[in-house]
Amino acid sequence: MEQLVLTILTLISLVLTVQAAHALYLMIYTWDRPEAGDRARVPDRRATPALSFTAILPARHEEEVIQHTIARAASADYPPHLVQILVVCSADDVGTIEQAQAQVNRLRAMGRTNVEVVVFDDGPINKPHGLNTALRYATNDVVAIFDAEDEVQPQLFDIVNTIMSEEDVGCVQAGVQLMNFQSNWYSTFNVLEYFFWFRSRLHYHAKNGAIPLGGNTVFFKRTLIERLGGWDESNLTEDADIGLRLSSMGEKVRVVYDDRYVTKEETPPTLQSFIKQRTRWCQGFMQTLGKGTWKLMPTRRQRFLAWYTLAFPHVQAMLGVYLPVALLSAFVLTVPVPIAMLSWLPVLMLGAHFVMSVVGLYEFTGAHGLKATPGTVVKMAITWFPYQMVLSYAAARALWRQVKGERNWEKTAHVGAHRTAAETAELTNVG
Amino acid sequence: MSADVLNRPETHKGTGAQKPPQTRGWPLIVVSLVIGLATHGWNMFRYPLYLTDEGIYMEQAWSVLREAKLSPYTYFYDHAPFGWLTIAGWVAILPGGFNAFGNAINTGRVLMLIVHLVSVFLLYEIIRRFTGSKAGAFLAAFVFNVSPLGVYYQRQVLLDNLMMLWILLGLYLLARKDGRIVTVMGAGLCFGLALVTKENALFILPGCAYLLHRAIKSQPNRRFGVSFWWFAALAPVVGYLLFAQIKNELFPQNFNFNLAAATPGDHVSLLYTVWWQLHRNSNSSNGLSFTTLLQASWLFKDRYLLIAGTAVTVLGLFAGRRNKRLRGPMLACALMGVGYGFYLTRSALLDFYIAPMVPLFALNLGMFFGWLTRRTKPAGAAVLVACLLVPVVVMPGGFMVKYNTKGELEFSDAYRLPLTRLQEQQVAWIKANVPPDAKLIIDDDIWVALHDNDPPYKNAHPHYKATSDPDVRDKVFASSWQNVDYVVMSNKMRDALERGGETWIIEAIDQHGETVWQATRGDVSLQIIKIGGTS
């Protein structure tokens, strides 16, 4: 029996170490591979605007931020006649519809007639259904997805026009970045997760042809999305699902990241909303894993990468149990020295993760003209373990919901914490 | 224009005018390796004598493989264990195990030969990549290959040689300048492994850290590079500390660091040993002073390298200030040499502690030559190298040849003398004449030969363990000549007994001993003394 326990302990330690090392590598992939970093860059020279865009803004209970987002999208540095903006709301969301319509009216008064509010009254009331509804009204070459709280970069259409015109790609994923890294105790790590994901890891997925796309700032050729049959309305992470469906079709996805042109977002304002958001993501990955799209990918490498990514929430749920037990057993359990040493290897990886996060913080703040202080690092050191526990709790909660068959959409609230007061005032009055 | 054809960030570009050549110069590398194979491989099983420390590392590797322990005796953290773990790994893959090349130390020496050859390649490449001078790289590799000091110590199974391999590998990775984080991280890990191979690597740290800073300061990923160099360098050290903590041997009993006490308490302690080592000096019984060894041993073996190496290391601190490309690497290499030199002048030393200076001096020599000939055409530099090397190679008393007592020209001792035959004869006599259950006091050089025997001589123990290790001193010999059957004397073991204050063994020899076997060649003398035969 003791032998069995030791064997299991050894195996878990080894698997966790390998998994962690790989995950860490993906976090620094583009920093490590200069050529990958080059591939991710925004073209310096821009092509003549040729492609037309339909930007879809799904919104639900976004009264506080929707006007600003519409204004921002409408003020893109791209010929207005090549841009169509569709704000999608469900009929019961009267407040958001009113706010959106008011902004549309202001724009129309200025002669901008390319913004419309699309209202649907059928179910399910969720983002993919909204997207599919809006898709029917989309008339332009390229469909772009933005979230209601997004700080859309004015040059994005120009950049994507250049990429799609000059490269053989039907889908472009541009960078998304949470900005409010000092709002609360978990925001620093949340911001860094986005930073590492969009700045590095997604590029690895794109290169290897197995990419779970992000939920916004993603651009599809309309014919492509129509060929795919739109978004899966039963999936809680329709974005990841559609990315993997694209990959299984052999479609290339171009990931572009430049600190100057990221879409800025905010972390969920409360811990509760953060947990709900994370639960939805984890459950969506679980759903997508069960759906089996990943099995349709052409190569074993692609299938493994997709499976590995989608299965991670399961691992994270188990880590919530394993980590405290492992820490306790490190001080209580008496095992042979080599096994004890081996069982500390995952802890070493956790140390590496923390170092990477601290360096990432300075990279992030340096890139965006913000300032990280030693105090922030101390705060990270204190909150690192609780944050991991929160992530594990959310993953376990997702697993529980998945087992119980609860698939309803838990909406994330937005308050505009990533926007400065000046930006808000300036853009809300556009028109 | 697509993003794919944009200019890459300036991660690979040097800042000086001259770029390293694109070709490695494989013929020169091959020639260097062949020279290294010849100078270090020829007669390496016969010269020099098997050293006590070679025996210690081989017996500890034996313990790793046969007993799953770090030492057959109480491991008291005198050295970090990665060196003999490496040796154990080497032995483990050999079909013949410890006797694959005749005996355990020979088997270890073959590993040292491989280590040397890899080091030659690394040294060559480090200099070529930093200076762009193949002549400088060849000069360094040649000196590293033929220096009598190097040939003498780098043939021996020493942790210092393994330590320098990791240091050179780390420098090589930094010299690659491929802009990758994992490469820099690998360099850090190499340094960490050097530290847990032999802690003296710490004195090379300032030079390495400076080189790291200079090598990647223009890379966009430098924050990650620097952080993970340090992280990877510290990881093995933390692992070592953790190992001690798991065994409850990190701190001394009751946190008592009082060096006046004979032991750190009821158990050994890593930090106590470190504390003790930090307070060692050349007045203690555990080593000799720098000046003593310099005059009595090192200058006698190779004054050319020591003088030239010191000169270029000092010059390297100041030369090339205006050369942005060479300034960093030159100063870093000089700092490494100065750092290790500082250690040599401050500590209680053993003869072989000089070993790391050989590659460090060669490195500085190559770097300095590369800088000096930066505007010289390759052919001119090659002629200059030849002018420097030919005299010391062909000159009697130089690197390769000497006059014997009859005035005849002959190869230096390293390529000629069969010294270790005496030690083999000594072991053969024991196996033929001494019963395996006899209680022997020996030196470590023959430990594995007796313990890896069938049947093993389980009661053969090194003299210093018979004096200092309670498990051996009290339980096996009880510090009494009556519990000793034989004392097997290695060359100059008598000096070691006297230096170490091992009086009960000396008294056993002098008052109750009878020499039953003796062999002498030049100033080398071995004996086997039967104890109790005269009383």
Side-chain angles (χ1 to χ4, degrees), chain A residues 389-402:
Chain A
M389 288 294 99
V390 167
L391 295 185
S392 293
Y393 169 70
R397 185 167 174 266
L399 190 60
W400 180 245
R401 282 170 54 89
Q402 181 70 2

Side-chain angles (χ1 to χ4, degrees), chain B residues 346-381:
Chain B
R346 301 287 297 174
S347 181
L349 305 176
L350 296 177
D351 198 23
F352 60 83
Y353 281 17
I354 191 73
M357 280 316 286
V358 179
L360 288 175
F361 277 158
L363 182 66
N364 278 287
L365 198 61
M367 295 295 294
F368 186 78
F369 186 87
W371 170 77
L372 203 64
T373 58
R374 63 196 180 282
R375 294 194 188 92
T376 311
K377 287 182 179 172

Side-chain angles (χ1 to χ4, degrees), chain A residues 113-136:
Chain A
T113 57
N114 60 340
V115 188
E116 298 167 63
V117 179
V118 175
V119 178
F120 63 91
D121 57 5
D122 54 346
I125 300 175
N126 61 23
K127 184 177 172 183
H129 182 63
L131 291 173
N132 284 333
T133 303
L135 185 62
R136 294 200 292 273

Side-chain angles (χ1 to χ4, degrees), chain A residues 181-408:
Chain A
F181 74 104
Q182 285 184 311
S183 288
N184 50 54
W185 72 267
Y186 57 85
S187 63
T188 311
F189 286 112
N190 196 199
V191 164
L192 290 174
E193 278 181 310
Y194 266 69
F195 186 56
F196 284 117
W197 184 268
F198 284 95
R199 171 79 167 76
S200 177
R201 180 163 175 165
L202 267 189
H203 302 274
Y204 181 85
H205 282 276
K207 179 174 175 284
N208 290 285
I211 180 167
L213 287 168
N216 67 71
T217 326
V218 57
F219 300 77
F220 303 92
K221 283 188 176 163
R222 187 162 55 86
T223 50
L224 180 63
I225 202 80
E226 285 171 349
R227 192 146 47 94
L228 276 168
W231 289 266
D232 182 350
E233 296 186 2
S234 66
N235 198 305
L236 290 172
T237 49
E238 83 295 336
D239 41 8
D241 172 72
I242 204 163
L244 295 174
R245 281 158 62 202
L246 272 176
S247 299
S248 62
M249 284 170 61
E251 277 292 329
K252 281 185 191 167
V253 176
R254 167 76 146 84
V255 178
V256 58
Y257 188 96
D258 188 314
D259 298 310
R260 293 168 297 174
Y261 305 115
V262 292
T263 296
K264 295 178 180 176
E265 291 189 347
E266 59 176 333
T267 58
T270 64
L271 184 61
Q272 190 184 27
S273 59
F274 173 70
I275 290 172
K276 280 183 178 176
Q277 183 193 57
R278 192 51 63 106
T279 301
R280 179 165 63 78
W281 291 356
C282 290
Q283 196 178 351
F285 272 35
M286 290 170 184
Q287 275 185 309
T288 312
L289 180 70
K291 189 177 164 186
T293 311
W294 60 275
K295 293 178 190 167
L296 304 175
M297 293 185 173
T299 69
R300 189 175 296 168
R301 186 189 181 93
Q302 286 172 294
R303 287 194 293 275
F304 175 75
L305 182 59
W307 171 84
Y308 167 82
T309 306
L310 295 172
F312 184 69
H314 292 88
V315 178
Q316 200 158 38
M318 283 185 277
L319 272 179
V321 180
Y322 176 77
L323 270 181
V325 172
L327 278 177
L328 190 68
S329 63
F331 294 101
V332 174
L333 209 63
T334 304
V335 297
V337 173
I339 292 175
M341 296 283 289
L342 205 64
S343 67
W344 277 90
L345 277 179
V347 180
L348 183 74
M349 293 295 121
L350 295 182
H353 181 266
F354 181 73
V355 171
M356 199 171 280
S357 299
V358 172
V359 177
L361 174 70
Y362 281 90
E363 287 285 321
F364 162 74
T365 51
H368 291 282
L370 303 169
K371 189 167 171 55
T373 62
T376 314
V377 177
V378 171
K379 187 184 87 177
M380 285 170 74
I382 295 167
T383 57
W384 186 86
F385 191 75
Y387 186 77
Q388 302 306 318
M389 288 294 99
V390 167
L391 295 185
S392 293
Y393 169 70
R397 185 167 174 266
L399 190 60
W400 180 245
R401 282 170 54 89
Q402 181 70 2
V403 169
K404 285 204 306 178
E406 290 179 15
R407 309 265 154 81
N408 63 311

Side-chain angles (χ1 to χ4, degrees), chain A residues 25 28 31-34 38-39 41-42 44-45 166 254 337 340-341 344 348 351-352 355-356 359 362-363, chain B residues 1-4 6-9 178-182 220-221 223-224 227-228 231 235 239 242-243 246-247:
Chain A
Y25 180 70
I28 56 165
W31 280 282
D32 180 55
R33 306 298 298 242
D38 294 349
R39 275 200 299 271
R41 293 181 76 197
V42 166
D44 284 347
R45 195 170 54 82
E166 299 186 354
R254 167 76 146 84
V337 173
M341 296 283 289
W344 277 90
L348 183 74
V355 171
M356 199 171 280
V359 177
Y362 281 90
E363 287 285 321
Chain B
M1 190 175 87
S2 80
D4 294 321
L6 288 173
N7 290 332
R8 294 174 63 155
D178 60 5
R180 296 194 59 185
I181 297 168
V182 290
N221 56 13
R223 280 198 189 106
F224 283 104
S227 303
F228 279 99
F231 184 85
L242 180 67
F243 170 80
I246 287 171
K247 297 189 72 176

